[in-house]
Amino acid sequence: MTHLPPPAEELRLLDTELRQLDARRALLLTRRAWLITALRPPVAPPPPPPPVRRPETTAPRVQNVLLVLGGALLTIAAIAFTLVSWGRMGIAGRALVLGAVTLAALGSPVLLLRHRLRSTAEAVAGLGLALTVLDVYALHEVALPDTNGLAYAAIASALLAALWTAYGLALGGTRRPAGEAAAPARLTLRLPLPTALAAAQLPLILWAAAADAGAPVMTGALLVTAALDTAVALRVPVRSVCLVAAVGAYGLGGWGSFAAGWLSWTATGPSAVARAAALLLFAAAVALAAAWRLPDTNVATWVASAGGLLTVAALGGVPRSSLPGEWTVPGYLVCAVAVLAAVRTRLPEPMRRGLALAAASVQAVAVVWALPPVAVALLGPVARVGRVWTGAPSTAREAVTPVGVPWPPYAATAPLVLVVVATVLAVAVRGTEWRPRATIGASALVWAAALVLPAALDIPYWAGMSAQGLTIVAALAYVARSAEPRPVLFLPALVSSVSLACLSLAAEGTTLGVLAALTVLFAAVSGRSRLAPVAALAYATALACAVGASLGWQSPYIALLVLLVPVVAALLAARLAGSPARVPVEVTGAVAGLLAVGLAVPDPPLLALVLALCAVIAAGTAVREDRRPAGYAATALFVLAAWVRLACWGVGSVEAYTLPVTVPALLVGAFGRRKDPLTSSWTAYGAGLSVTLVPSLLTAWIDPDWPRPLLLGVAALAVTLVGARHRLRAPLVLGGGVLALDALHELAPYLVQMAGALPRWVPPALAGLVLLALGATYEQRIRDARRVREVLGRMR
């Protein structure tokens, strides 16, 4: 009987067979596709398309170039005909030719526009406009040769402007043919209207020139023309017309405004001043009206700023003719402040910004005008440094003015200008963002005014010194009372104190009193600014020098008095742990110490004492944990002090100068290796041993006596043995090298004698033997060298 599996098992078997068949079919299909691809002939890639030659320009551009060139050639031909061939024809012929050509040129655009040939119509219209100019010129040459040329040109330009305007408006309504319903309804010419406006710039200017009316009338003509251009630019929507009008408004308006300003500046009488002021006010009114109507806020701001400047120039020039010269700038400044009041009105925001910008510009110029006397009052006292205690001057102006430098003219009102600008900054700037900056600026201006006021008023010398001292006290009080003192608030007091200190150099008693007062003042506010302790120490240094000079001491003895300042600086720095003023105080003390060293240079014994005292101060500073590096400076200063003392005693032995360096260096190295056993012997002892061994070796080579080489050899042998005992590389190498070179130095004379006694063939023979021996034992020497290197490498 046939065995049949269960249905489930049979279904599983069938699924397995079908999967195998699918896999085999997929493999066969893949192989078939590969065979088909392999049997196909290779297909050549398609050739690249031939390059297409593209035109270098567009058809409309070619058309415009041709039309413009044709119109220009026809215009040139007409000019040549008018100027050259005019005299060969009679009056009737001339009129007939020019009239016919002009009418044909002006009438042709009508037909061209009907056929939608706008570019050609523009070119022909340009030719017609040029012919009208030639017609006017021909009329003057034939019918009116005796009339004034400028007057005729003024009338002709006005008539041409009117004619061209009418012509442009007339052709603005030309309709297209009725059969083209989808096209635009109207075609217009663009050239006549801007050309008419360009011609309209000339009539008033030419009329003023023909009448020989003078500068005020010519300036008025420029400004009126600019006003007309402004009105056209603001009200006419045609872009080309607006462009020509804007160029005329800016160009002629700027020219006329400059001319009006020059007239106001050079005016001498009330009538001339009034005329110039009227012109400037007219220009300002035009500018402000334009700023009111301009849609662009940035442009409106700048135009309003120009209007504000013109207003200040107009109003400020009126009192200038009747007031002294030093009141010129204050007069303009008052007008600027008055213009600034308009910012609080309900004017548009761009206009208010422009007026504020104009007022700020005038105030900035006024401050710059007031800076020269401030600079003289601030920097002039520095010249007193070269003339110490030569006598007090009589006035404050004489005290601050260097010899040969005049006091700036018209500087009497400089303090007033500075105070007015400071008041404006304090009152006008109320925004939260700019208020702190305005406060700082106002404070600086008030300080500058107080600085220059004594010299401007030319008060007595002692009164000027007192006033400047009160200014410093007020500035320091302001710093002490401020919630967040900043360096910028401290700078006026510091700068004023330097100027006051230089002024006090005129007399001995004044110098001592001022320096003592400044030291006390800056010490009192040392907790409010990081610069105050520095200033106090600096003035204490100057006071020490002044006291020593007053007592008649020489500079080396004054150095001992100056050393008190580094002592105070070191003590003060110890109490300023974590304060930003700590480093500046330490630097100031170091500078004072250098000054003391410089003062003591003429007296070597006293210089050694000063260096030793500086070393003590540095060592005291190095006691603090965070100032350990000061110990290096203390060591260097001690060494320098020892060297100077040895030089004073006439000691010439080099070891006397090197041993004071070697001993501390070796001690420091031993201490460092005890803290860090991994420290190399070269780092710990290399520098200290080299400082003595190397100079002594060089000295021993040129020393003819035997004690120095012997002692050097003994010292080098001791160093070598110590290095071998403790397995230290630096003492072993340095001691051994110095010992070998010292022995070579001692044996050199005997070697020279031996070389002279031997026959000449002996040295080459010895050299050959040595080479043979080296070659024979080369491998052994290499092994020995490696062994020595390993021994040295195991040393620390």
Side-chain angles (χ1 to χ4, degrees):
M1 295 179 63
T2 304
H3 177 69
L4 295 176
E9 181 66 19
E10 185 176 2
L11 180 61
R12 186 183 63 80
L13 293 175
L14 290 176
D15 290 341
T16 302
E17 292 291 338
L18 289 174
R19 282 197 297 272
Q20 292 177 355
L21 289 175
D22 291 340
R24 181 64 178 170
R25 177 179 174 82
L27 178 62
L28 294 175
L29 289 176
T30 303
R31 181 65 177 172
R32 181 178 181 278
W34 182 86
L35 291 174
I36 291 174
T37 304
L39 292 175
R40 286 179 181 175
V43 179
V52 179
R53 187 180 300 275
R54 296 181 178 180
E56 297 181 357
T57 184
T58 60
R61 292 183 179 179
V62 174
Q63 164 192 302
N64 294 334
V65 170
L66 294 177
L67 292 175
V68 171
L69 183 59
L73 292 177
L74 289 175
T75 304
I76 293 172
I79 294 173
F81 169 77
T82 305
L83 298 179
V84 177
S85 302
W86 187 258
R88 301 177 184 176
M89 302 177 65
I91 297 176
R94 301 170 190 172
L96 182 61
V97 170
L98 272 180
V101 174
T102 303
L103 290 177
L106 293 177
S108 299
V110 178
L111 299 177
L112 294 173
L113 288 176
R114 289 183 179 276
H115 291 81
R116 300 184 55 77
L117 300 175
R118 171 180 283 176
S119 299
T120 306
E122 295 281 0
V124 177
L127 174 62
L129 298 179
L131 289 175
T132 56
V133 177
L134 294 178
D135 290 338
V136 171
Y137 169 75
L139 179 62
H140 178 267
E141 292 295 323
V142 175
L144 304 170
D146 298 330
T147 57
N148 188 347
L150 291 176
Y152 180 81
I155 298 173
S157 59
L159 293 177
L160 287 176
L163 177 63
W164 292 347
T165 302
Y167 179 69
L169 294 175
L171 292 186
T174 303
R175 298 183 180 274
R176 63 169 189 82
E180 300 179 6
R186 295 177 183 272
L187 291 177
T188 59
L189 289 179
R190 302 173 182 173
L191 185 60
L193 291 179
T195 307
L197 184 59
Q201 311 298 311
L202 301 176
L204 291 178
I205 300 174
L206 294 177
W207 171 80
D212 197 12
V217 178
M218 177 61 75
T219 303
L222 291 171
L223 293 177
V224 170
T225 305
L228 296 176
D229 289 332
T230 303
V232 171
L234 292 175
R235 302 185 70 87
V236 176
V238 182
R239 184 175 181 180
S240 58
V241 177
C242 288
L243 179 60
V244 175
V247 172
Y250 284 115
L252 297 180
W255 184 10
S257 300
F258 177 78
W262 181 255
L263 290 175
S264 176
W265 185 258
T266 57
T268 55
S271 60
V273 171
R275 287 194 297 269
L279 292 173
L280 287 171
L281 288 176
F282 176 74
V286 173
L288 294 175
W292 188 293
R293 296 291 302 275
L294 281 172
D296 192 336
T297 57
N298 293 328
V299 178
T301 299
W302 289 107
V303 173
S305 176
L309 291 175
L310 292 173
T311 304
V312 172
L315 300 179
V318 173
R320 187 186 59 83
S321 61
S322 57
L323 293 177
E326 58 266 18
W327 290 97
T328 299
V329 174
Y332 284 105
L333 181 60
V334 171
C335 295
V337 174
V339 169
L340 188 62
V343 177
R344 301 297 179 184
T345 61
R346 295 184 178 180
L347 292 174
E349 178 63 22
M351 292 189 65
R352 288 192 280 120
R353 276 203 311 266
L355 293 176
L357 181 61
S361 302
V362 175
Q363 295 177 57
V365 172
V367 171
V368 172
W369 172 83
L371 287 182
V374 175
V376 172
L378 187 63
L379 302 178
V382 179
R384 291 276 171 188
V385 176
R387 298 182 287 117
V388 179
W389 297 349
T390 56
S394 58
T395 63
R397 183 177 299 180
E398 182 183 353
V400 301
T401 305
V403 178
V405 178
W407 179 252
Y410 307 126
T413 55
L416 177 62
V417 169
L418 296 172
V419 170
V420 170
V421 178
T423 305
V424 172
L425 282 176
V427 175
V429 181
R430 298 179 180 177
T432 57
E433 180 181 359
W434 290 93
R435 183 65 179 176
R437 302 176 187 177
T439 302
I440 294 175
S443 302
L445 292 175
V446 171
W447 164 75
L451 185 67
V452 77
L453 184 60
L457 298 179
D458 203 13
I459 61 178
Y461 169 72
W462 63 268
M465 294 281 293
S466 302
Q468 194 160 350
L470 292 176
T471 302
I472 297 172
V473 172
L476 292 178
Y478 180 73
V479 172
R481 292 174 59 88
S482 59
E484 296 181 0
R486 290 177 289 179
V488 70
L489 301 177
F490 184 78
L491 287 179
L494 182 61
V495 174
S496 297
S497 65
V498 174
S499 178
L500 181 62
C502 293
L503 282 177
S504 67
L505 297 177
E508 179 179 346
T510 307
T511 301
L512 297 175
V514 168
L515 291 178
L518 291 177
T519 303
V520 173
L521 284 174
F522 283 101
V525 296
S526 58
R528 303 295 295 171
S529 175
R530 70 179 66 179
L531 297 178
V534 176
L537 292 173
Y539 287 124
T541 305
L543 179 61
C545 295
V547 169
S550 177
L551 295 176
W553 292 0
Q554 298 295 325
S555 61
Y557 296 95
I558 297 177
L560 296 176
L561 195 59
V562 173
L563 280 179
L564 295 175
V565 176
V567 174
V568 175
L571 296 176
L572 182 61
R575 301 190 60 181
L576 293 176
S579 173
R582 184 179 186 182
V583 174
V585 166
E586 292 176 341
V587 172
T588 306
V591 172
L594 291 177
L595 177 61
V597 172
L599 292 174
V601 166
D603 192 345
L606 200 57
L607 175 61
L609 177 60
V610 171
L611 288 172
L613 293 175
C614 290
V616 172
I617 298 172
T621 303
V623 172
R624 302 200 304 269
E625 185 67 27
D626 56 343
R627 288 296 183 265
R628 297 297 188 197
Y632 298 105
T635 304
L637 290 171
F638 275 124
V639 170
L640 289 176
W643 287 357
V644 172
R645 177 54 62 184
L646 291 172
C648 294
W649 289 339
V651 177
S653 177
V654 67
E655 289 79 11
Y657 294 91
T658 57
L659 285 176
V661 181
T662 297
V663 174
L666 293 178
L667 292 177
V668 171
F671 180 75
R673 279 182 59 82
R674 177 173 296 181
K675 293 184 64 175
D676 186 7
L678 298 179
T679 303
S680 172
S681 61
W682 286 106
T683 304
Y685 307 117
L689 293 174
S690 301
V691 167
T692 294
L693 292 178
V694 174
S696 297
L697 178 63
L698 296 177
T699 306
W701 272 76
I702 60 177
D703 192 351
D705 297 329
W706 61 270
R708 182 186 296 274
L710 178 60
L711 294 175
L712 177 62
V714 172
L717 178 60
V719 171
T720 305
L721 294 177
V722 170
R725 171 68 180 79
H726 296 282
R727 302 179 66 185
L728 298 176
R729 185 183 302 177
L732 182 63
V733 174
L734 289 175
V738 171
L739 181 61
L741 292 175
D742 186 63
L744 180 62
H745 172 265
E746 293 301 314
L747 293 176
Y750 302 102
L751 294 177
V752 172
Q753 293 178 4
M754 185 182 297
L758 292 175
R760 293 187 177 180
W761 57 269
V762 174
L766 293 176
L769 291 175
V770 170
L771 292 176
L772 289 176
L774 290 175
T777 60
Y778 184 72
E779 184 178 0
Q780 182 65 31
R781 299 301 181 187
I782 292 176
R783 187 181 301 114
D784 295 340
R786 289 175 179 173
R787 192 172 299 169
V788 172
R789 186 179 64 183
E790 292 175 357
V791 172
L792 292 176
R794 288 194 295 271
M795 294 182 181
R796 291 173 292 174

